[in-house]
Amino acid sequence: MIGVLALQGAFAEHESCLDRLGQEFFEIRKREHLDRSMDALIIPGGESTVMGKLLRDMDMDSILKERILGGLPVFGTCAGLIVLSKRVVGGSTSLGTLDVTTIRNAYGRQLGSFETVAGFDGKEIPMTFIRAPYVESVRPGVKVLSEVDGRIAAVRQGNQLATSFHPELTEDLTVHRYFLEEVAGVM
Amino acid sequence: MSEDRYKLNKELAQMLKGGVIMDVTTPEQAKIAEKAGAAAVMALERIPADIRAAGGVSRMSDPKMIRGIQETVSIPVMAKVRIGHFVEAQILEALEIDYIDESEVLTPADDVYHIDKTQFKVPFVCGARDLGEALRRISEGASMIRTKGEPGTGDIVQAVSHMRAMNSAIRDIQNRREDELYETAKQHRVPVDLVRFVHDNGRLPVVNFAAGGVATPADAALMMHLGAEGVFVGSGIFASGNPEKRAAAIVQAVTNYNDPAKLAELSYDLGKAMVGINAEEIQTIMAERGQ
């Protein structure tokens, strides 16, 4: 059972990916929803400032942080990467469990949004970047899974996977499959 | 505009889903909105309620004011242009605005033609009262739709009726036979391809928000129940007694629209709501602009 953080943003798109992979999921909109047991968590794209505020206002941040540090497999895309990052340039930190430095809105405004094809864990896949961040640097223990034009676009630190692009917006399920198989071990 | 660009523009709207887009008139208000959890801000010179009160011609905002807001917040910044005023839109594109609202709140510049939005790289959101209007705007290149509602009134009745009209027309199309879609397209005055999309998918091909008259957390939740994917709040926040608290409450109400106990808590002691005007008592019907 996968929990999908559904406070704001493109969570429905992730749910559709999970559907296609035959995975069951539930939406997390408030603290009580965290009482349900889950095998893994997805933090979707959206606005990281909104998600950060709602996590704080609804008292969900410390419990999630504790669970992720305790080994709960988590996958963050775009805003989800920012929410997980320990250091954020141009924004504030939220859960801060992933030992990387991330630059928010690193490609500028909407005119800087783009699509490309690039390698992820050795496989070429389509990638969509929307007002995207990128990872400026990683600490030891964090593995870089993808770089686009010399900028880090995907990282993994043990149970945590994060991408600066949106795999949930393309038909390609490589990254979701990687998360469910390699990181969460539920497939 | 290339197909890729249009897709990216629709996808930015997808990232705003479940969020609240707030009208702001100064960098200070923009900061308050961002802190309260706005997913984006709409920069404009006067909120709709004041535009309504002042009368006269209402135009695109001064680029200086828009720049000021862009420099203050890190969330997407939108701004309005008059219906049909493609030069105002070119100016906003030059400012690298994140989204242009071709809006009936401003005085229309063209009483026949809307902007050919396919000629722009930046995305457009447009208002609609029914499915035909929504699909016409989409065929002109809009990558996001919102109900028109009746701006600046604090009266939710028009937004409700527009959202219901859109969704009941969508359900109607879903139930039609394939060979009836040509006639349906004619009735709605829209391309048959868009009607076919609605028939096959049961929704608009772009994200659809509620706008026009949202004043309380309950209003926002009501619109989410009726099928909105997020809400615009115009005058409802900064014309109220406690903008910070009301803004934050509306943000949470959109996430928890299905949780009455939470909504009760959110509605508690918000201070004075915007006074509001009954949508039937007003003289300028903004929703009738640009069909």
Side-chain angles (χ1 to χ4, degrees):
Chain A
M1 184 63 77
I2 315 293
V4 179
L5 194 67
L7 300 177
Q8 189 269 324
F11 48 86
E13 287 76 354
H14 276 287
E15 293 168 2
S16 145
C17 294
L18 293 173
D19 257 339
R20 278 182 279 156
L21 289 165
Q23 289 294 313
E24 286 191 287
F25 58 86
F26 65 98
E27 293 186 350
I28 300 167
R29 291 173 182 267
K30 56 181 178 180
R31 193 189 162 103
E32 294 82 87
H33 294 159
L34 294 174
D35 295 342
R36 228 173 131 171
S37 85
M38 58 177 142
D39 302 311
L41 170 70
I42 290 181
I43 305 180
E47 273 306 317
S48 59
T49 51
V50 181
M51 280 185 236
K53 177 173 166 56
L54 289 172
L55 283 171
R56 209 166 47 241
D57 285 0
M58 298 200 262
D59 277 333
M60 296 163 76
D61 49 356
S62 51
I63 178 163
L64 275 177
K65 182 173 180 170
E66 198 178 294
R67 294 231 194 130
I68 293 168
L69 291 175
L72 174 69
V74 62
F75 174 24
T77 60
C78 194
L81 160 67
I82 296 168
V83 167
L84 290 172
S85 296
K86 203 171 250 181
R87 292 162 296 277
V88 179
V89 179
S92 26
T93 53
S94 178
L95 301 181
T97 51
L98 182 66
D99 206 356
V100 301
T101 301
T102 300
I103 306 179
R104 193 156 161 258
N105 296 335
Y107 297 91
R109 299 184 180 282
Q110 173 62 4
L111 285 174
S113 295
F114 64 100
E115 283 180 334
T116 188
V117 174
F120 171 86
D121 192 35
K123 195 181 163 197
E124 295 288 303
I125 59 166
M127 297 180 182
T128 303
F129 295 78
I130 308 278
R131 281 174 53 95
Y134 64 75
V135 174
E136 184 194 48
S137 61
V138 303
R139 292 282 168 86
V142 181
K143 186 177 169 195
V144 174
L145 293 172
S146 174
E147 280 189 38
V148 174
D149 300 330
R151 289 163 169 175
I152 300 170
V155 293
R156 176 177 177 185
Q157 179 182 9
N159 58 319
Q160 305 181 63
L161 174 70
T163 63
S164 60
F165 57 95
H166 293 280
E168 74 279 16
L169 293 178
T170 64
E171 293 298 309
D172 188 284
L173 292 168
T174 303
V175 186
H176 283 85
R177 196 170 276 127
Y178 177 91
F179 175 62
L180 296 167
E181 285 172 0
E182 308 285 324
V183 183
V186 294
M187 252 177 72
Chain B
M1 179 171 50
S2 71
E3 295 249 324
D4 289 356
R5 186 46 59 183
Y6 184 58
K7 186 163 167 285
L8 287 166
N9 287 342
K10 286 200 290 185
E11 288 167 343
L12 174 58
Q14 284 173 263
M15 294 306 140
L16 298 172
K17 284 189 299 181
V20 180
I21 299 169
M22 302 181 194
D23 277 3
V24 297
T25 59
T26 62
E28 293 70 35
Q29 287 185 354
K31 199 77 216 166
I32 292 171
E34 184 178 47
K35 274 199 170 154
V41 291
M42 176 76 70
L44 75 174
E45 229 141 41
R46 286 176 293 182
I47 55 173
D50 293 340
I51 291 175
R52 200 173 270 294
V57 176
S58 186
R59 310 178 178 88
M60 179 191 80
S61 299
D62 189 325
K64 181 182 175 202
M65 169 266 196
I66 295 170
R67 268 273 149 80
I69 289 173
Q70 284 176 318
E71 282 160 13
T72 307
V73 296
S74 60
I75 53 180
V77 177
M78 304 183 165
K80 290 181 192 289
V81 299
R82 286 178 269 178
I83 289 173
H85 207 315
F86 55 85
V87 176
E88 285 187 346
Q90 289 166 352
I91 290 170
L92 288 186
E93 183 168 70
L95 294 174
E96 296 199 19
I97 201 81
D98 292 299
Y99 241 97
I100 295 175
D101 185 0
E102 186 182 17
S103 176
E104 68 284 359
V105 169
L106 306 183
T107 313
D110 193 317
D111 56 7
V112 180
Y113 300 105
H114 278 75
I115 296 171
D116 177 2
K117 293 166 275 288
T118 63
Q119 300 302 309
F120 291 79
K121 284 188 191 143
V122 291
F124 279 81
V125 54
C126 287
R129 293 179 304 174
D130 53 39
L131 184 65
E133 277 189 28
L135 295 181
R136 285 196 289 283
R137 299 296 86 76
I138 292 166
S139 72
E140 294 156 2
S143 45
M144 180 178 185
I145 292 292
R146 55 172 177 75
T147 58
K148 283 179 170 173
E150 194 50 43
T153 58
D155 189 346
I156 197 67
V157 65
Q158 297 300 329
V160 167
S161 105
H162 298 165
M163 190 58 80
R164 281 194 186 272
M166 249 184 257
N167 287 324
S168 92
I170 288 174
R171 286 191 297 273
D172 176 61
I173 287 179
Q174 276 185 285
N175 288 327
R176 285 184 184 271
R177 282 165 53 97
E178 295 255 355
D179 62 1
E180 295 171 349
L181 298 181
Y182 301 96
E183 180 57 26
T184 308
K186 268 188 270 175
Q187 283 166 6
H188 286 289
R189 296 190 285 135
V190 297
V192 70
D193 290 353
L194 290 176
V195 172
R196 201 168 279 128
F197 181 93
V198 171
H199 176 263
D200 295 348
N201 296 279
R203 59 174 178 85
L204 293 181
V206 303
V207 166
N208 187 15
F209 269 45
V214 177
T216 65
D219 289 345
L222 175 65
M223 295 312 300
M224 294 299 287
H225 273 287
L226 292 176
E229 298 182 279
V231 300
F232 284 85
V233 187
S235 316
I237 289 172
F238 289 99
S240 76
N242 188 343
E244 289 91 340
K245 196 171 174 192
R246 184 168 293 267
I250 291 176
V251 168
Q252 283 204 42
V254 168
T255 301
N256 291 292
Y257 69 92
N258 216 355
D259 184 345
K262 182 79 184 170
L263 293 173
E265 184 192 308
L266 292 170
S267 306
Y268 202 81
D269 195 24
L270 287 182
K272 217 162 60 106
M274 74 173 284
V275 179
I277 326 166
N278 186 319
E280 283 176 6
E281 292 165 0
I282 52 178
Q283 288 178 347
T284 307
I285 309 293
M286 291 175 173
E288 286 177 357
R289 293 167 166 175
Q291 303 177 15

